[in-house]
Amino acid sequence: PVNADRIAEDIDALAGITEPGHPWTRRAFSPLFLEGRAYIEARMKAAGLTTRMDAAGNLIGRRAGTKPGLGTILVGSHSDTVPDGGRFDGIAGTIAALEVARSLGDRGIELDHDLEIVDFLAEEVSIFGVSCIGSRGMTGQIPEAWLTRTSGNRTLSQGIAEVGGDPSVLLAQKRPDLAGFLELHIEQGPVLEAENKDIGIVTAIAGITRIEITVEGRADHAGTTPMDRRADALVAASQLVLDIRSRAAEQAKTPGHFAATVGEFRIEPNAANVVPSKVVLLIDGRAEIRSDMEDFLAWIDGEVKTIAADFGVTINAPVRVSDNMPTPGAPVLLETLERACETVGAKHCRMASGAGHDTAWIAKVAPAAMIFVPCKEGRSHCAEEWAENDDIAMGAAVLFEAVRDMDKN
Amino acid sequence: PVNADRIAEDIDALAGITEPGHPWTRRAFSPLFLEGRAYIEARMKAAGLTTRMDAAGNLIGRRAGTKPGLGTILVGSHSDTVPDGGRFDGIAGTIAALEVARSLGDRGIELDHDLEIVDFLAEEVSIFGVSCIGSRGMTGQIPEAWLTRTSGNRTLSQGIAEVGGDPSVLLAQKRPDLAGFLELHIEQGPVLEAENKDIGIVTAIAGITRIEITVEGRADHAGTTPMDRRADALVAASQLVLDIRSRAAEQAKTPGHFAATVGEFRIEPNAANVVPSKVVLLIDGRAEIRSDMEDFLAWIDGEVKTIAADFGVTINAPVRVSDNMPTPGAPVLLETLERACETVGAKHCRMASGAGHDTAWIAKVAPAAMIFVPCKEGRSHCAEEWAENDDIAMGAAVLFEAVRDMDKN
Ligand SMILES: NC(=O)NCCC(=O)O
Ligand SMILES: NC(=O)NCCC(=O)O
């Protein structure tokens, strides 16, 4: 029911709006980002949608329904990227949503509900150091303190104003009209490709918990200090990294998505001939089932004590830098999406999202769910990120059928 | 036979010549360094020494002997410091050497040999990224390529000229007149203090071998990539760090000083939600016995293959960034020093130096040896570095006796 060529044309056009030499970079709040949005807005208008910018800087294209007051079906994703990566991350979902509206128009189908296509502002961690600004902002979930975060000489508040939002009313935003929200996204993982599925119906977006651990040893001379008289922070931190990996791998074998990664790791003084005195490491934990994360947090508290004792270093209580709960997809929408897959003949499965998404924020105020389409080798947030256009078109067709289904129920 | 108060006075005076707020910083080539040297030169002159700067920028105070042509006994150390550390490292040896000349003068003792007290230029890794410039330079061991190394807009060649050296003849320096060299230095390790000794007679300066290893994995999304489908460079590198530590600790239990430390460790992309794709680590290895280092190098070559296979990462052959042989102390001087310890009643032991020193470079062209004095808790290269003045004075007395002994033999 959708036009695959039109999807490819738009995704390719947006890929052309990138920092030269840095495919595919279109950072939120940058001139290129605004250029990309101008393209999307023009395509929304060409599809007969009424465009507007909401207070949170989300670009919205609206198609009025036949029964005013019934509520709004919202579909969309984001058009910003991480640095040096993201040809499909966000964009695939934004264009697939637009294609749903175009296909409805092509077929002269009127919905009872209002339909809105959204390009959320700054889903990725932006220059202001936080993510999902648009989806949080649309639903009044931006902490006030964030507005004064700065990047260069701009505050987030100014950044939002510059893209066309209205920070003065941002904190009071509400969307009581939302009847439901759907998002298509590339999987950003290898599962659908490996299992030869067209569509992943997302049962839950994993909770993300970030834990900072500081290992303090003693900076000694690497040449003169006997091996048995050291308090080497790097050696102790290395044991911690290995134990976290083992523990997470065990947890991952039980039902429910689970992952834990040490992605940030800084050592001091980081000098060739000095025994490392300090390592600060950040654990990124993901759990579909909250009790798995709670078990992990309890385990890590004990683990650091064991390592401190074994290696003669000091490790204070792990600091929970952030801790978000898992967000289940709305059960009624999971069924809707399953029916839609059957209708279009898509091979589908249920799976969790290990990554965070705008859907998690909209889900706090309205029924929301998302679908994944496969991406090549699970690569994402890098120049190699790739999704086949036919897979995206299949996903757009699922959205099309699901939106019609939601409209009737 | 030496004046402990005079030693304390000089060491304290030099401690006063430090970057405010950064005790005890007197970096080679800085204005403070030149200020420190002006103090030392004035004290050399006050002791009746004839001062000069050699082509390598070494400050030398000379006391002519009674038998011209017999050769020169050289004693000294360095007066530059690492950033934020080094109240005694180098300075203790420079001032102890000066005190030997002063004590000879006090007693009206004439030596047959010429005696030179030296403050070597830039023993520590300097702003030009290399160390032991003075001791290498005095003996024609500076690689030509070093002269064009830059720091800011200065070359090393310009730096040496600015402190008073002569780069135009630097590469051709030779000291065929050297009859012997002695250096006193703080131990920079915990052994003498722990074993309640006054003097360590250094059997050998350990060879220093630096090995760079690059672990390459794959940057995947930390949220979505299943634990069993990762090539996590940090996890693999952590195993390597632990195995290096275990192997070095085993080696250290056999005769001959041995240590291996991973002091530099950089991960990429170092982002919270990305599986680390790359770790570059630098091993600092020290061996008193060369075959221990050769065994270690062979072991590491095999080890990285095992880890690459076990963790699904790529590790190319370890790169030997630098590789210096151990330098034994001249046996005749070790005996001279032992006799000197007996004469002054110092509790002494033989031990290796795990740290590199100027002595290692002078030893390539003349009989050379060094003694260690205890330092507090083995701390060095930090503001807490401390040595008791009585211990330094005891060391100066040993130098005094040893120099007289060398003069007669
Ligand atoms: N979808 C996505 O990559 N979100 C970024 C936040 C995260 O999951 O790490
Ligand atoms: N003595 C000393 O600290 N030398 C620095 C070079 C080293 O041994 O790492």
Side-chain angles (χ1 to χ4, degrees):
Chain A
V2 300
N3 182 333
D5 292 342
R6 211 156 43 183
I7 293 173
E9 187 188 333
D10 285 347
I11 292 179
D12 289 350
L14 282 155
I17 303 172
T18 177
E19 278 183 29
H22 291 273
W24 315 93
T25 306
R26 202 168 45 249
R27 298 286 286 150
F29 305 103
S30 70
L32 277 173
F33 172 72
L34 294 177
E35 203 181 309
R37 281 200 146 180
Y39 176 86
I40 297 167
E41 185 169 16
R43 299 294 277 172
M44 284 175 165
K45 285 187 166 142
L49 304 181
T50 311
T51 63
R52 73 173 192 280
M53 194 74 74
D54 75 4
N58 298 305
L59 171 63
I60 297 170
R62 180 177 174 87
R63 190 169 185 275
T66 54
K67 298 195 176 156
L70 202 57
T72 306
I73 296 172
L74 185 68
V75 192
S77 191
H78 63 96
S79 69
D80 66 315
T81 73
V82 297
D84 298 292
R87 198 184 194 285
F88 299 93
D89 173 351
I91 278 304
T94 305
I95 301 304
L98 173 58
E99 183 57 23
V100 169
R102 285 195 290 230
S103 294
L104 290 169
D106 289 350
R107 281 162 186 69
I109 299 170
E110 305 257 34
L111 299 182
D112 293 347
H113 291 78
D114 297 328
L115 175 69
E116 289 188 357
I117 308 308
V118 62
D119 170 30
F120 287 117
L121 178 64
E123 189 266 354
E124 307 288 1
V125 174
S126 74
I127 49 171
F128 296 101
V130 290
S131 65
C132 295
I133 292 170
S135 51
R136 295 187 208 233
M138 176 185 274
T139 51
Q141 296 181 82
I142 293 210
E144 186 167 1
W146 281 18
L147 294 178
T148 51
R149 294 180 77 102
T150 53
S151 168
N153 49 13
R154 271 193 299 189
T155 60
L156 173 58
S157 192
Q158 286 166 330
I160 291 172
E162 280 171 29
V163 304
D166 181 357
S168 73
V169 295
L170 176 59
L171 301 181
Q173 291 301 295
K174 292 262 177 300
R175 286 298 302 264
D177 62 308
L178 289 185
F181 173 67
L182 294 179
E183 178 175 13
L184 172 151
H185 205 280
I186 59 166
E187 180 197 340
Q188 306 183 274
V191 176
L192 292 174
E193 186 184 56
E195 304 197 351
N196 195 26
K197 299 288 185 188
D198 301 316
I199 299 288
I201 295 172
V202 177
T203 50
I205 296 166
I208 308 182
T209 304
R210 298 254 164 84
I211 309 148
E212 190 179 88
I213 296 178
T214 304
V215 181
E216 299 210 64
R218 199 177 54 240
D220 283 317
H221 196 295
T224 57
T225 312
M227 295 304 296
D228 57 4
R229 289 178 188 259
R230 299 175 171 214
D232 186 325
L234 177 61
V235 168
S238 294
Q239 187 67 57
L240 189 56
V241 168
L242 288 170
D243 292 350
I244 289 166
R245 207 283 296 257
S246 302
R247 175 67 174 66
E250 281 312 305
Q251 187 69 65
K253 286 180 193 152
T254 67
H257 179 71
F258 189 87
T261 310
V262 179
E264 279 185 26
F265 192 93
R266 293 193 315 277
I267 92 168
E268 291 177 18
N270 206 20
N273 65 352
V274 184
V275 177
S277 59
K278 188 167 168 178
V279 173
V280 181
L281 56 84
L282 189 65
I283 307 172
D284 174 291
R286 313 275 174 143
E288 181 179 0
I289 301 168
R290 178 62 189 174
S291 61
D292 286 355
M293 182 57 71
E294 273 160 12
D295 291 350
F296 180 78
L297 288 165
W299 172 82
I300 199 90
D301 284 346
E303 168 71 8
V304 299
K305 290 190 186 116
T306 306
I307 288 191
D310 288 355
F311 291 87
V313 295
T314 305
I315 313 181
N316 288 334
V319 177
R320 229 176 281 186
V321 177
S322 64
D323 191 16
N324 295 319
M325 301 295 123
T327 307
V332 58
L333 292 183
L334 302 189
E335 283 168 27
T336 304
L337 288 165
E338 235 148 24
R339 281 195 300 274
C341 285
E342 298 293 336
T343 305
V344 305
K347 285 174 286 177
H348 58 94
C349 63
R350 289 194 171 206
M351 66 185 295
S353 170
H357 290 285
D358 288 316
T359 296
W361 298 99
I362 303 302
K364 303 239 190 271
V365 304
M370 66 189 301
I371 55 171
F372 282 159
V373 296
C375 64
K376 195 163 176 237
E377 290 166 19
R379 309 301 307 277
S380 183
H381 284 191
C382 56
E384 295 77 26
E385 182 182 278
W386 188 259
E388 293 299 332
N389 195 62
D390 284 351
D391 289 333
I392 300 168
M394 176 78 93
V398 171
L399 288 184
F400 177 87
E401 296 299 343
V403 164
R404 293 188 66 190
D405 194 335
M406 286 162 79
D407 187 50
K408 297 297 163 232
N409 293 286
Chain B
V2 301
N3 182 335
D5 291 344
R6 211 157 42 183
I7 292 173
E9 188 188 333
D10 285 346
I11 292 180
D12 288 351
L14 282 154
I17 303 172
T18 177
E19 279 182 29
H22 290 272
W24 316 90
T25 306
R26 202 169 44 252
R27 297 286 287 150
F29 305 103
S30 70
L32 277 172
F33 173 70
L34 295 177
E35 204 181 307
R37 281 198 145 182
Y39 176 86
I40 296 167
E41 186 168 16
R43 298 295 275 171
M44 284 176 166
K45 286 189 167 140
L49 305 180
T50 311
T51 63
R52 73 175 193 278
M53 192 75 74
D54 74 4
N58 298 306
L59 171 63
I60 297 171
R62 181 177 174 87
R63 191 169 185 275
T66 54
K67 298 194 177 158
L70 201 60
T72 308
I73 296 173
L74 185 69
V75 191
S77 192
H78 62 96
S79 69
D80 65 316
T81 75
V82 298
D84 299 292
R87 198 183 192 287
F88 300 92
D89 175 351
I91 278 303
T94 304
I95 300 304
L98 173 58
E99 183 57 24
V100 169
R102 286 195 288 229
S103 295
L104 290 169
D106 288 351
R107 283 162 184 66
I109 300 171
E110 306 255 35
L111 298 183
D112 294 346
H113 292 77
D114 296 328
L115 175 68
E116 289 189 356
I117 308 308
V118 62
D119 171 29
F120 287 118
L121 178 64
E123 188 265 355
E124 306 288 0
V125 174
S126 74
I127 49 172
F128 297 102
V130 289
S131 65
C132 295
I133 291 170
S135 50
R136 295 189 208 232
M138 175 185 276
T139 50
Q141 297 182 81
I142 293 212
E144 185 167 1
W146 281 17
L147 294 179
T148 50
R149 293 180 78 100
T150 54
S151 169
N153 49 13
R154 271 194 298 189
T155 60
L156 173 58
S157 192
Q158 286 165 332
I160 290 172
E162 280 171 30
V163 302
D166 181 357
S168 73
V169 295
L170 176 60
L171 302 181
Q173 291 301 295
K174 294 260 177 300
R175 286 298 302 263
D177 63 310
L178 290 185
F181 173 67
L182 294 180
E183 178 174 13
L184 172 152
H185 205 280
I186 59 165
E187 180 197 340
Q188 306 185 274
V191 175
L192 292 174
E193 187 183 55
E195 303 197 352
N196 194 28
K197 300 288 185 189
D198 302 315
I199 298 289
I201 294 173
V202 176
T203 51
I205 296 166
I208 309 182
T209 304
R210 298 255 164 83
I211 309 148
E212 188 179 88
I213 296 178
T214 303
V215 181
E216 298 212 64
R218 200 177 52 240
D220 283 317
H221 196 295
T224 58
T225 311
M227 294 305 295
D228 57 3
R229 287 178 189 260
R230 298 173 173 215
D232 187 324
L234 177 61
V235 168
S238 294
Q239 187 66 57
L240 189 56
V241 168
L242 288 170
D243 292 350
I244 288 165
R245 208 284 295 255
S246 302
R247 176 66 172 67
E250 281 311 307
Q251 186 69 65
K253 285 180 195 151
T254 67
H257 180 70
F258 189 88
T261 310
V262 179
E264 278 186 25
F265 192 93
R266 293 194 315 277
I267 94 166
E268 290 179 18
N270 206 20
N273 65 353
V274 184
V275 176
S277 58
K278 189 167 167 177
V279 173
V280 181
L281 56 86
L282 189 65
I283 307 171
D284 174 291
R286 312 275 173 143
E288 181 179 359
I289 301 168
R290 177 63 189 176
S291 62
D292 286 355
M293 183 56 72
E294 272 159 15
D295 291 350
F296 181 77
L297 288 165
W299 172 81
I300 198 87
D301 284 347
E303 168 72 7
V304 299
K305 290 190 186 116
T306 307
I307 289 191
D310 288 356
F311 291 88
V313 295
T314 306
I315 313 181
N316 289 333
V319 177
R320 231 175 281 186
V321 176
S322 64
D323 191 16
N324 295 320
M325 300 297 122
T327 306
V332 59
L333 292 182
L334 302 189
E335 284 168 27
T336 303
L337 288 164
E338 235 148 22
R339 280 193 302 272
C341 285
E342 299 294 336
T343 304
V344 305
K347 284 174 284 175
H348 59 93
C349 62
R350 292 196 169 205
M351 66 184 295
S353 170
H357 290 287
D358 288 316
T359 296
W361 298 100
I362 303 302
K364 302 236 191 275
V365 304
M370 65 190 301
I371 55 170
F372 282 158
V373 296
C375 64
K376 194 163 177 239
E377 290 166 19
R379 309 301 307 279
S380 182
H381 284 193
C382 56
E384 295 78 24
E385 182 182 279
W386 188 259
E388 293 300 331
N389 194 64
D390 284 351
D391 290 333
I392 299 169
M394 176 78 94
V398 171
L399 288 184
F400 176 87
E401 297 298 345
V403 164
R404 293 188 66 190
D405 193 337
M406 286 163 78
D407 187 49
K408 297 297 163 229
N409 294 288

